[in-house]
Amino acid sequence: MGRPAVVSIVNHKGGVLKTTTTANLGAALARAGKRVLVCDFDPQQNLTASLVGRLQYDSSTPTLYDALIAEESLDGLIIKTGTKGLDLVPSAEDFFHAELSLAPVQAREYVLRRCLEKTRRLDQYDFVIIDNSPSLSLVTVNALAVSDWFLVPVAAEYLPLTGLLMLGESIGDIQRKLAPNLASLGVVITLYHRSERICREVERELVRELGDLLFDTRIRVNTKAKTAPSVQQTVFEFERSERGRGTEDYSQLAEEFLERIAAAARGDEAAANG
Ligand SMILES: Nc1ncnc2c1ncn2[C@@H]1O[C@H](COP(=O)(O)OP(=O)(O)O)[C@@H](O)[C@H]1O
Ligand SMILES: [Mg+2]
């Protein structure tokens, strides 16, 4: 087995569905037969809470924070979720300290990389998807430095482009200095509501400015997707219908995700063959 493709879900804005997309894209890929590891890299632990419930923290149980600080393998931290083929590296409340604790470490941007190099179970997965906090912190930079791809969810709200341009500049800087293999997988419009004029305006602007970088899939506003995490379910488990709005949206997103990664692999092959 080869190394999995590693994808960071990023946007320095909160509430754009980073966590929801990590969980449901992960579940959609698992339903398509892929083996997926999602990783909670946000001290707010929303991904952990939404998939398995918040972990009862006690200092004697090893956590993601402990593994980072000791630069150890993440093997012992991986747990199963309610979805077959979808596993999780949870975070606990001590992850809040990671930002400060990593600051004085040698080659501090590559701590997660050193942990993953020691993680034997990694080769059991096709994809690792990392849910990041709403900031380009040192913790997020660690995630980007191990990622092959980053994917940006953006809410269909007023003026998303200014934020996207800033994000693009910051990530461009990280690519140049720290992560030359990191590539953009694209931008996904979330919280979309076709009958709202502002959503259609934002969509038009993003189609014009981003071109092919914009996914065709829209993640529509959906009460069920909002409720599912409160009972530790993905939208697939919660809707239990192939015609559910979230089920449709995230299945389509997974299809497009796989197409984009396959197209990039074909491009690499063509380049290698001259
Ligand atoms: N399709 C949806 N429609 C409406 N609200 C949603 C949808 N999906 C998720 N939500 C809710 O939107 C909020 C923000 O989502 P979240 O994934 O936590 O964003 P982020 O991780 O970017 O901060 C959460 O309360 C979540 O439950
Ligand atoms: Mg989040």
Side-chain angles (χ1 to χ4, degrees):
M1 289 298 308
R3 178 182 175 276
V6 183
V7 183
S8 268
I9 309 294
V10 281
N11 191 332
H12 52 345
K13 202 166 155 36
V16 297
L17 308 199
K18 287 183 293 297
T19 301
T20 309
T21 296
T22 305
N24 291 319
L25 173 61
L29 291 168
R31 277 165 47 104
K34 305 295 178 190
R35 292 147 312 160
V36 184
L37 179 65
V38 288
C39 182
D40 191 352
F41 232 49
D42 181 350
Q44 293 184 65
Q45 309 150 66
N46 290 347
L47 182 68
T48 302
S50 71
L51 286 175
V52 298
R54 264 176 91 98
L55 299 188
Q56 218 24 295
Y57 175 69
D58 85 77
S59 56
S60 62
T61 312
T63 61
L64 178 56
Y65 171 79
D66 295 325
L68 286 175
I69 297 315
E71 303 200 358
E72 276 169 359
S73 143
L74 308 186
D75 282 323
L77 299 172
I78 297 173
I79 55 177
K80 288 192 182 311
T81 70
T83 299
K84 188 166 170 279
L86 181 69
D87 293 349
L88 167 71
V89 173
S91 71
E93 63 185 58
D94 58 350
F95 200 73
F96 274 104
H97 304 299
E99 190 64 25
L100 271 181
S101 303
L102 292 184
V105 172
Q106 281 273 8
R108 59 190 186 172
E109 294 89 356
Y110 300 115
V111 175
L112 178 60
R113 178 185 289 184
R114 295 195 285 275
C115 294
L116 290 185
E117 278 164 1
K118 295 177 183 163
T119 302
R120 306 286 287 273
R121 290 176 67 185
L122 212 59
D123 62 10
Q124 298 171 1
Y125 297 99
D126 299 303
F127 295 103
V128 175
I129 307 178
I130 306 176
D131 181 31
N132 288 287
S133 73
S135 78
L136 285 180
S137 60
L138 177 54
V139 167
T140 304
V141 169
N142 262 267
L144 290 170
V146 294
S147 295
D148 305 292
W149 302 101
F150 65 96
L151 189 160
V152 180
V154 58
E157 287 166 1
Y158 184 55
L159 284 184
L161 207 59
T162 322
L164 273 184
L165 289 175
M166 280 170 54
L167 181 70
E169 271 179 34
S170 309
I171 294 185
D173 208 34
I174 293 167
Q175 282 170 312
R176 278 188 297 279
K177 293 178 182 156
L178 301 164
N181 297 327
L182 178 67
S184 174
L185 197 58
V187 172
V188 183
I189 297 180
T190 64
L191 296 173
Y192 183 74
H193 202 316
R194 199 183 351 203
S195 63
E196 279 180 18
R197 201 170 127 202
I198 183 68
C199 286
R200 293 197 308 274
E201 282 176 15
V202 166
E203 182 182 32
R204 257 198 306 278
E205 184 183 33
L206 292 178
V207 166
R208 192 177 59 233
E209 297 296 327
L210 299 179
D212 286 346
L213 216 47
L214 190 66
F215 276 74
D216 292 331
T217 306
R218 308 281 179 261
I219 304 299
R220 292 168 291 178
V221 168
N222 177 6
T223 319
K224 289 201 169 129
K226 202 170 178 166
T227 314
S230 65
V231 288
Q232 284 77 54
Q233 290 184 355
T234 66
V235 78
F236 298 98
E237 295 167 281
F238 195 80
E239 289 183 338
R240 303 209 317 191
S241 159
E242 291 308 311
R243 300 211 335 250
R245 185 180 282 209
T247 299
E248 282 185 356
D249 292 352
Y250 279 102
S251 301
Q252 192 192 340
L253 182 64
E255 252 176 60
E256 234 191 313
F257 173 98
L258 291 172
E259 277 164 19
R260 280 176 181 240
I261 288 186
R266 284 195 298 275
D268 286 350
E269 225 169 82
N273 295 334

